[in-house]
Amino acid sequence: MTENKTQATGASVEDFLAAVEHPVRRQDGYRLLDLMTGATGQQAQMWGPTIVGFGRYHYRYESGREGDAPAVGFSTRKASLSLYGLTYGPDSAQLLGRLGKHRTGAGCLYVNKLDDVDEAVLTELVRVGYGHVTTLLHQG
């Protein structure tokens, strides 16, 4: 079985965010850091070289592949902000309808800039996503 490429590291979240070249993307990264820390009650941790994650969960697929992943997180990609773990919760579809300008794909939520979305709705998406992954998936 191959090892997961994206694992928790000891790298500094602050150093990662400070190194983001685009000023709006860098500022949005700091805003997401505060928002997700507050919504989850967890400290941020780097997962791989580019994902800022909060909390963790263990997954196991029927294929036998298993590993750990952040419960929710984000990355400040060049094209957009990638937000992880926010589209699976029971209320996520209804919340996404009120979020503002975004797109989804491959389990991710993509936002060009935080000013394009309702931050209160985004905060609720983080809470719902985090709760779903850390509570419901551990019941199985």
Side-chain angles (χ1 to χ4, degrees), residues 121-140:
V121 175
L122 181 58
T123 300
E124 189 59 21
L125 275 165
V126 172
R127 282 191 192 110
V128 167
Y130 180 80
H132 177 70
V133 168
T134 60
T135 303
L136 296 179
L137 292 183
H138 287 137
Q139 293 176 3

Side-chain angles (χ1 to χ4, degrees), residues 32 36 73-77 80-84 108-111:
L32 282 169
M36 288 189 168
F74 70 90
S75 187
T76 55
R77 308 281 185 199
S80 62
L81 298 165
S82 298
L83 302 147
Y84 306 102
C108 293
L109 171 64
Y110 301 100
V111 174

